[in-house]
């Protein structure tokens, strides 16, 4: 799919569709400065990472590569 990732759910969907890498959303609406945009994206990246790790733990997944393309098989 096309488009940035703004949640763990959208990241997981892209991995399951076959993506090996994902792009975190590159534009946060309403951000006035570059510094704030970088700070907000850093927080978002941390949140997505934590949620993906929690999902992997619940599902018994040890490496994200295990789910790459799982919806395409």
């Amino acid at each position: 799919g096309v488009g940035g990732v703004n949640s763990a759910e959208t990241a997981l969907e892209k991995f399951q569709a076959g993506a090996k890498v994902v792009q975190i959303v590159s534009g946060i609406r309403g951000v006035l400065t570059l510094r704030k945009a970088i700070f907000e994206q850093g927080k978002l990246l941390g949140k997505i990472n934590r949620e993906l790790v929690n999902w992997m733990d619940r599902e018994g997944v040890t490496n994200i590569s295990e789910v790459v393309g799982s919806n395409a098989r």
Side-chain angles (χ1 to χ4, degrees):
V2 175
V5 170
N6 59 7
S7 69
E9 182 179 351
T10 56
L12 186 57
E13 289 170 0
K14 298 209 183 276
F15 287 127
Q16 290 171 328
K20 294 181 181 177
V21 296
V22 296
Q23 176 183 344
I24 302 304
V25 66
S26 57
I28 295 178
R29 287 160 181 71
V31 174
L32 299 177
T33 65
L34 179 58
R35 175 180 266 171
K36 183 170 179 175
I38 292 168
F39 176 74
E40 293 299 324
Q41 287 183 343
K43 289 189 334 186
L44 178 62
L45 178 59
K47 181 178 188 285
I48 290 171
N49 186 57
R50 285 189 302 278
E51 291 175 1
L52 282 173
V53 168
N54 289 338
W55 177 86
M56 291 172 64
D57 287 344
R58 285 192 310 275
E59 297 297 319
V61 174
T62 57
N63 190 303
I64 198 67
S65 66
E66 296 172 34
V67 301
V68 171
S70 61
N71 283 351
R73 294 182 193 144

